[in-house]
Amino acid sequence: MKSTSSSRFWKIIFLALGIGLLFGYSVGSILKSNNRSDTILEVLREASQCDEVNQIIYAKGVQFGKEGLSTEKGEYQLVGCELSSIEEEAKRLHNILSDKVKDFQEVDLLELEFIKNDQHQTIIIKNGKIQ
């Protein structure tokens, strides 16, 4: 009888340890992604020639939208940018983000919405690649 209760005790200990490790990993991942969102916003503000750069959303977790399934998504508005070509500016910002944001290619979906006067154009970056 004692071996059964001892065995049960160890199962509970291992289960609790497993749940604790899973919880710790999840919290660490969330904190890491928040740092990435802050870094992306900072890089966009420093590198762009826009009047405003706003973070609309940065979400981590399973999401389904018009661009498909994602687990990490960010949306940013770049307002009043002085550019000759949005596509060229998107490529330039993409290169800077790739260099300065750790694990940038792990962001499933990044939307950059360029707004000037009444014109809106959105550039999509999936897994570190411009679409």
Side-chain angles (χ1 to χ4, degrees):
M1 182 101 171
K2 252 188 174 186
S3 66
T4 306
S5 63
S6 176
S7 172
R8 187 173 183 203
F9 171 77
W10 285 110
K11 285 180 184 176
I12 291 171
I13 292 295
F14 283 125
L15 180 62
L17 182 61
I19 291 171
L21 288 173
L22 182 61
F23 178 75
Y25 175 77
S26 298
V27 169
S29 295
I30 289 169
L31 291 175
K32 183 178 175 184
S33 72
N34 286 342
N35 289 340
R36 191 168 23 232
S37 72
D38 294 341
T39 305
I40 290 171
L41 182 60
E42 183 180 317
V43 168
L44 287 174
R45 283 183 173 157
E46 289 175 1
S48 68
Q49 294 127 9
C50 303
D51 296 336
E52 274 180 60
V53 177
N54 302 310
Q55 180 177 335
I56 302 305
I57 188 171
Y58 199 92
K60 189 157 174 105
V62 178
Q63 302 140 51
F64 188 78
K66 64 182 178 181
E67 295 299 325
L69 184 68
S70 65
T71 58
E72 189 172 358
K73 176 183 179 180
E75 293 181 25
Y76 297 87
Q77 280 183 341
L78 294 95
V79 181
C81 303
E82 295 298 325
L83 339 154
S84 57
S85 167
I86 290 176
E87 289 78 15
E88 290 300 317
E89 179 68 0
K91 288 178 189 175
R92 186 182 76 79
L93 291 174
H94 174 265
N95 290 335
I96 294 169
L97 288 166
S98 295
D99 288 342
K100 293 191 175 187
V101 178
K102 184 178 180 186
D103 299 325
F104 176 68
Q105 70 281 357
E106 290 182 17
V107 178
D108 291 336
L109 184 61
L110 188 68
E111 295 182 20
L112 303 177
E113 181 182 10
F114 292 89
I115 300 171
K116 185 160 184 180
N117 300 328
D118 291 334
Q119 297 178 337
H120 295 256
Q121 185 171 348
T122 302
I123 301 294
I124 305 292
I125 301 172
K126 281 188 173 180
N127 298 315
K129 295 180 182 157
I130 297 176
Q131 301 299 297

